[in-house]
Amino acid sequence: VQLVESGGGSVQPGASLRLSCTSPRFDLADYAVGWFRQVPGKERERISCTTRAGDSITNISDSMEGRFSVYRDNTKNTVSLHLDTLKPEDTAVYSCAAKFARDRRPTYCPRTSEYPVWGQGTQVTVSS
Protein backbone atom coordinates (compact mmCIF):
# COMPACT_ATOMS: atom_id res chain seq x y z
CA VAL A 1 0.00 0.00 0.00
CA GLN A 2 1.45 3.31 -1.04
CA LEU A 3 -1.37 5.80 -0.51
CA VAL A 4 -4.25 5.51 1.92
CA GLU A 5 -7.41 7.62 1.96
CA SER A 6 -9.74 7.82 4.92
CA GLY A 7 -12.65 9.85 6.20
CA GLY A 8 -15.40 8.94 3.78
CA GLY A 9 -18.90 8.04 4.86
CA SER A 10 -22.61 8.57 4.45
CA VAL A 11 -23.95 12.00 5.34
CA GLN A 12 -26.98 14.18 4.74
CA PRO A 13 -26.99 17.13 2.36
CA GLY A 14 -25.32 20.18 3.88
CA ALA A 15 -22.95 18.14 6.03
CA SER A 16 -19.16 18.22 5.97
CA LEU A 17 -16.50 15.56 5.71
CA ARG A 18 -12.75 15.61 6.11
CA LEU A 19 -10.85 13.21 3.89
CA SER A 20 -7.19 12.41 4.45
CA CYS A 21 -4.50 11.05 2.19
CA THR A 22 -1.34 9.67 3.71
CA SER A 23 1.45 7.30 2.77
CA PRO A 24 3.15 4.66 4.90
CA ARG A 25 5.97 4.57 2.36
CA PHE A 26 6.55 8.04 0.99
CA ASP A 27 7.37 11.41 2.41
CA LEU A 28 4.55 13.33 0.76
CA ALA A 29 6.52 16.55 1.19
CA ASP A 30 8.46 15.46 -1.92
CA TYR A 31 5.30 14.80 -3.92
CA ALA A 32 2.64 16.68 -5.77
CA VAL A 33 -0.66 15.25 -4.51
CA GLY A 34 -3.95 15.31 -6.32
CA TRP A 35 -7.51 14.62 -5.22
CA PHE A 36 -10.03 13.13 -7.64
CA ARG A 37 -13.50 11.68 -7.58
CA GLN A 38 -15.34 9.25 -9.75
CA VAL A 39 -18.91 8.07 -10.11
CA PRO A 40 -19.39 4.62 -11.68
CA GLY A 41 -19.91 4.96 -15.40
CA LYS A 42 -18.48 8.49 -15.51
CA GLU A 43 -15.03 9.91 -16.10
CA ARG A 44 -12.73 10.65 -13.22
CA GLU A 45 -13.05 14.27 -12.14
CA ARG A 46 -10.06 16.26 -10.93
CA ILE A 47 -10.61 18.21 -7.71
CA SER A 48 -7.24 19.62 -6.80
CA CYS A 49 -3.48 19.47 -7.01
CA THR A 50 -1.34 20.37 -4.02
CA THR A 51 2.15 21.28 -5.07
CA ARG A 52 5.33 20.41 -3.22
CA ALA A 53 5.45 24.04 -2.16
CA GLY A 54 2.09 23.63 -0.48
CA ASP A 55 0.16 25.74 -2.94
CA SER A 56 -3.17 24.20 -3.79
CA ILE A 57 -4.92 24.49 -7.09
CA THR A 58 -8.38 23.59 -5.97
CA ASN A 59 -11.95 23.76 -7.08
CA ILE A 60 -11.27 22.84 -10.64
CA SER A 61 -14.97 22.33 -11.16
CA ASP A 62 -17.41 25.22 -10.72
CA SER A 63 -19.68 22.83 -8.81
CA MET A 64 -17.04 22.55 -6.08
CA GLU A 65 -16.11 26.21 -5.90
CA GLY A 66 -16.20 27.57 -2.39
CA ARG A 67 -17.11 24.21 -0.85
CA PHE A 68 -13.94 22.14 -1.16
CA SER A 69 -10.54 23.05 0.25
CA VAL A 70 -7.23 21.27 0.53
CA TYR A 71 -4.57 21.38 3.24
CA ARG A 72 -1.10 19.88 3.39
CA ASP A 73 0.38 18.97 6.77
CA ASN A 74 3.92 17.71 6.31
CA THR A 75 4.29 17.04 10.05
CA LYS A 76 1.56 14.41 9.70
CA ASN A 77 2.54 13.37 6.16
CA THR A 78 -1.03 14.12 5.12
CA VAL A 79 -2.93 16.02 2.47
CA SER A 80 -6.52 16.61 3.52
CA LEU A 81 -9.58 17.41 1.45
CA HIS A 82 -12.30 19.29 3.30
CA LEU A 83 -15.77 18.89 1.86
CA ASP A 84 -18.36 21.37 3.05
CA THR A 85 -22.03 21.91 2.20
CA LEU A 86 -22.17 18.51 0.58
CA LYS A 87 -24.76 17.83 -2.10
CA PRO A 88 -26.18 14.53 -3.38
CA GLU A 89 -24.26 15.06 -6.62
CA ASP A 90 -21.02 14.93 -4.62
CA THR A 91 -21.59 11.21 -4.07
CA ALA A 92 -18.56 9.44 -5.50
CA VAL A 93 -15.41 7.53 -4.69
CA TYR A 94 -12.74 10.04 -3.72
CA SER A 95 -9.13 9.13 -4.39
CA CYS A 96 -5.76 10.73 -3.94
CA ALA A 97 -2.76 10.33 -6.18
CA ALA A 98 0.88 11.33 -5.92
CA LYS A 99 3.81 12.04 -8.17
CA PHE A 100 7.38 12.51 -7.02
CA ALA A 101 8.22 16.15 -7.58
CA ARG A 102 11.42 16.93 -5.70
CA ASP A 103 13.20 17.17 -9.06
CA ARG A 104 10.66 19.64 -10.35
CA ARG A 105 9.92 23.26 -9.59
CA PRO A 106 8.07 23.62 -6.27
CA THR A 107 4.85 24.70 -8.01
CA TYR A 108 4.70 21.71 -10.36
CA CYS A 109 1.34 19.99 -10.84
CA PRO A 110 1.10 16.87 -12.99
CA ARG A 111 -1.60 16.16 -15.49
CA THR A 112 -4.06 13.54 -14.29
CA SER A 113 -2.51 10.89 -16.54
CA GLU A 114 0.93 11.55 -15.09
CA TYR A 115 0.18 10.42 -11.54
CA PRO A 116 1.81 6.99 -11.08
CA VAL A 117 0.61 6.29 -7.54
CA TRP A 118 -3.04 6.06 -6.53
CA GLY A 119 -4.92 5.20 -3.38
CA GLN A 120 -7.79 2.74 -3.22
CA GLY A 121 -10.37 5.47 -2.71
CA THR A 122 -12.92 6.26 -0.04
CA GLN A 123 -16.67 6.36 -0.64
CA VAL A 124 -18.62 9.52 0.02
CA THR A 125 -22.40 9.19 -0.08
CA VAL A 126 -24.66 12.22 0.34
CA SER A 127 -28.31 11.37 0.75
CA SER A 128 -31.29 12.44 2.75
Side-chain angles (χ1 to χ4, degrees):
V1 174
Q2 301 184 90
L3 287 178
V4 179
E5 302 96 336
S6 61
S10 295
V11 297
Q12 293 188 338
S16 297
L17 282 173
R18 301 291 183 256
L19 308 184
S20 291
C21 174
T22 189
S23 175
R25 291 189 58 188
F26 305 139
D27 182 351
L28 292 180
D30 293 330
Y31 287 74
V33 178
W35 276 101
F36 302 83
R37 69 182 184 182
Q38 189 167 22
V39 175
K42 294 189 176 181
E43 288 190 3
R44 178 183 288 134
E45 185 175 20
R46 176 172 169 162
I47 299 171
S48 67
C49 169
T50 303
T51 68
R52 184 165 62 84
D55 299 323
S56 291
I57 303 172
T58 60
N59 305 329
I60 303 299
S61 168
D62 288 343
S63 67
M64 306 178 211
E65 186 171 1
R67 301 189 299 119
F68 292 5
S69 53
V70 184
Y71 301 92
R72 179 190 284 273
D73 186 342
N74 289 337
T75 66
K76 297 180 179 179
N77 202 34
T78 297
V79 177
S80 301
L81 175 65
H82 293 197
L83 312 175
D84 295 314
T85 319
L86 283 163
K87 304 176 181 180
E89 51 265 40
D90 294 320
T91 295
V93 175
Y94 286 71
S95 301
C96 64
K99 179 175 174 63
F100 184 75
R102 197 169 64 189
D103 55 345
R104 308 269 188 163
R105 69 184 188 282
T107 56
Y108 166 71
C109 264
R111 291 190 293 268
T112 298
S113 61
E114 294 177 327
Y115 284 98
V117 181
W118 291 81
Q120 80 288 351
T122 185
Q123 177 71 45
V124 171
T125 302
V126 185
S127 173
S128 56

